[in-house]
Amino acid sequence: MVFIPVVLYIFKTKDLHEQEQMCKVIETLVMRFYIAHKATNGFNKLLSEMLKKAGNKDSLIDFINNHNSFRLPSNNEMRNKLKTLWDNGDNKRANLILFWIELFRRSKEQNTKDIVELADVYSLEHLMPQSWEENWHQYANNYDEASELIYQIGNMTILKGSLNSSLKNKDWETKLNGDGKLKNCIKRSTDLIVNKELLDKKAWNKDEIEKRTKILSDNFLKIWSIK
C-alpha cells in the first residue's frame, strides 16, 4: 500500500516503456522485502522525495541504493531466506514464489505460450513432510536436521489440491505416484512445470532438495532483480 502514490505518479507521467521498467524496480523492492521479512514502515517518510527525484528507472535505482531504509536485500540474503521458509504455519510466501516461478517458466517455454491465464488456486506441499519421523527418519537425526531440509524452497511445490492427510506424510514413492486408493498425488499435478521435474526422482533426499533449491533460487533472482 505504501507505494500506491508512486505507482500512480508513474502511470500518470511516464510512457509505457518507462512505466514497465520503473514498476519492475518497485515490484522487486517490495518482493525482496516481503520474503526477507524486512519492515517497510519507514518508507512513507521518503515517498515525497522519491517522487521528486525518480525521473526514470536509473534515477529510481540510484535513489533506492542511496537510502539505507530502502537497502535492497542482496542475492546472497535472498538465497539464504529461500533455504529457511518457515512462516509459522503460513505458506503464503512459498506459495507466491512457486506460483510466479511457474508463470516465469511458462513464459520461457514455446509450448505454453498459448496459455493465457493460470489461476492461483494451488496448495503448498512439503515434499519431505513436516511430520517426517515415521517415513523419513533416514534423512534426519533430529528436528533441527529435518527443518534444514523441510523449509527449503526446493522441498516445496504447489498442487491442485492438498494431499489427503493419510498420504502427505507417506514415503516418497507413495506421495509421488499415489497408493492406488486416494486420487490426489504429486503426479496428478504434472501440468505444472515445477512438478514435471519431480517425476524422474527415484528418491527425495538432501542432495535433491539442495539442487532444486538452487534452481528455484536462480529463477527467483531472474524474476526479481534490478539491473
Side-chain angles (χ1 to χ4, degrees), residues 80-206:
N80 288 333
K81 287 295 181 182
L82 293 172
K83 292 178 182 177
T84 55
L85 278 174
W86 161 244
D87 277 338
N88 196 28
D90 182 352
N91 296 322
K92 290 180 180 178
R93 284 175 171 80
N95 206 319
L96 176 66
I97 293 166
L98 289 165
F99 181 74
W100 277 97
I101 287 176
E102 175 69 20
L103 293 177
F104 170 75
R105 291 185 179 182
R106 284 172 179 247
S107 72
K108 300 296 181 183
E109 291 203 5
Q110 185 66 38
N111 61 355
T112 61
K113 287 185 177 179
D114 59 331
I115 299 176
V116 177
E117 182 178 357
L118 183 68
D120 186 9
V121 294
Y122 297 93
S123 300
L124 188 81
E125 180 68 25
H126 294 84
L127 301 175
M128 177 179 174
Q130 293 169 293
S131 298
W132 56 276
E133 294 88 346
E134 181 178 356
N135 293 306
W136 296 75
H137 55 82
Q138 67 269 37
Y139 300 118
N141 295 312
N142 52 55
Y143 172 82
D144 289 340
E145 287 185 10
S147 294
E148 287 181 4
L149 300 176
I150 291 168
Y151 298 112
Q152 292 191 42
I153 189 66
N155 186 56
M156 302 176 189
T157 197
I158 47 177
L159 302 176
K160 291 178 180 177
S162 298
L163 292 182
N164 186 285
S165 58
S166 63
L167 184 62
K168 66 189 302 140
N169 296 327
K170 293 291 188 179
D171 60 275
W172 173 244
E173 174 66 22
T174 306
K175 289 190 73 168
L176 182 64
N177 297 305
D179 62 358
K181 300 175 184 177
L182 301 168
K183 292 183 177 181
N184 203 19
C185 60
I186 294 169
K187 186 170 281 188
R188 291 181 65 86
S189 287
T190 53
D191 56 320
L192 297 176
I193 298 172
V194 293
N195 290 333
K196 288 180 181 178
E197 63 197 14
L198 300 172
L199 294 182
D200 64 346
K201 305 301 181 185
K202 303 301 182 185
W204 193 250
N205 51 37
K206 180 179 180 180

